[in-house]
Amino acid sequence: MARVSDDKFWNKDIRLGDHVASIYQNKEQQFEVLMPFFIEGLKLNQKCVYVYDENTKEEIISEFEKAGIEINLYLKSGQLELFESREMYLDEGKFQPEKMLEKIEAMEKRAFEEGFWGLRGSGEMGISLEGKVDEIELIDYESRINEFLVGRKITLICQYNENKVSHKILNNVIRTHPFVIVYGKIYENKYFYTAPEYMERGSHYLPEEEYKTIIDTIITE
């Protein structure tokens, strides 16, 4: 059953250590889940990080302002940080899963040092379309991060624009996230594989042409 994205939703259903994929078709679907997610994090004195790619920094700031967030106050205090995707995702011009995990670990440590109670982050993953990120390495990272988050005070939402990312990648994104947000609503993911399961069964278990069927199954069961 779908779980609607309101304040109670974030309190009850998304917890520290969770790894969530958000699949959306437009900005309304994208931000109707992200703004409550970040508002809750700011209320809980968690450090919040947004990595932008398809949107500009100015557009992200505008979305926070429309949600009633005094963004300049949080940017000044360091509780909220905005990063351009290349700055966050690329090292020496390429995406390296191990380096990304090290960055997240360092951000969690810095959050505690700055007096915040945990880390809450979300990133737009459209950079994979530009040939800068190897698909296999991207999905390897998405799979590994589930075990990495165990016991950590971190919550992550990975954003995927259905109009910009191939169904092949999206099928594997679904396989590597315990929870998926589809068009603004959250579901427990019956297609999720743990990292060992994913490695054993392979990344091509879900044919590209089955993407629509997979999405329909998730949102109707």
Side-chain angles (χ1 to χ4, degrees):
M1 179 180 292
R3 291 180 281 179
V4 181
S5 54
D6 55 20
D7 287 345
K8 291 182 180 179
F9 156 83
W10 293 117
N11 267 322
K12 182 178 178 182
D13 294 321
I14 297 296
R15 303 176 179 89
L16 291 172
D18 280 347
H19 182 213
V20 185
S22 177
I23 297 172
Y24 56 92
Q25 299 169 315
N26 53 54
K27 281 192 175 185
E28 181 180 359
Q29 292 173 356
Q30 180 184 18
F31 289 106
E32 71 178 348
V33 296
L34 290 174
M35 291 302 106
F37 173 71
F38 281 112
I39 289 172
E40 186 71 16
L42 294 171
K43 288 180 180 178
L44 292 174
N45 193 40
Q46 295 174 348
K47 190 175 186 70
C48 296
V49 175
Y50 193 105
V51 181
Y52 57 93
D53 181 77
E54 63 184 88
N55 293 288
T56 65
K57 183 176 181 178
E58 291 72 26
E59 288 172 328
I60 298 302
I61 289 174
S62 176
E63 291 295 334
F64 276 97
E65 290 174 340
K66 285 191 291 185
I69 299 173
E70 297 182 48
I71 188 169
N72 290 328
L73 178 65
Y74 290 111
L75 290 172
K76 186 176 180 180
S77 71
Q79 187 177 359
L80 175 63
E81 293 187 325
L82 307 178
F83 294 95
E84 201 272 335
S85 60
R86 290 170 181 79
E87 178 183 3
M88 180 62 67
Y89 296 143
L90 301 183
D91 282 280
E92 300 176 352
K94 62 181 180 179
F95 181 83
Q96 301 181 59
E98 196 63 41
K99 292 282 189 181
M100 270 304 304
L101 296 178
E102 290 174 1
K103 285 183 179 181
I104 296 171
E105 185 174 37
M107 282 191 288
E108 181 191 33
K109 180 181 178 181
R110 183 158 57 87
F112 291 136
E113 291 173 346
E114 294 173 353
F116 300 113
W117 189 73
L119 177 69
R120 183 172 294 222
S122 184
E124 300 172 355
M125 306 299 289
I127 193 171
S128 61
L129 297 179
E130 300 178 9
K132 302 292 185 180
V133 178
D134 180 85
E135 292 180 13
I136 295 175
E137 289 186 340
L138 174 63
I139 301 303
D140 173 60
Y141 162 75
E142 292 284 31
S143 180
R144 291 170 61 188
I145 203 167
N146 292 300
E147 292 186 356
F148 171 83
L149 291 179
V150 173
R152 296 183 183 275
K153 289 183 169 59
I154 303 174
T155 307
L156 299 176
I157 295 181
C158 305
Q159 303 177 49
Y160 287 89
N161 187 331
E162 189 179 73
N163 300 311
K164 296 178 179 290
V165 180
S166 74
H167 290 179
K168 175 184 175 182
I169 291 177
L170 290 175
N171 282 345
N172 288 292
V173 165
I174 291 169
R175 274 298 191 214
T176 53
H177 290 78
F179 296 92
V180 289
I181 298 169
V182 182
Y183 313 149
K185 295 184 180 180
I186 188 167
Y187 306 84
E188 286 194 39
N189 183 9
K190 63 178 291 182
Y191 290 98
F192 169 65
Y193 280 165
T194 64
E197 288 174 329
Y198 189 82
M199 293 302 294
E200 179 182 349
R201 302 191 189 192
S203 61
H204 303 294
Y205 183 76
L206 295 174
E208 183 170 1
E209 61 270 17
E210 290 189 12
Y211 173 73
K212 184 64 166 59
T213 300
I214 294 164
I215 289 294
D216 288 343
T217 301
I218 290 174
I219 66 180
T220 57
E221 291 192 354

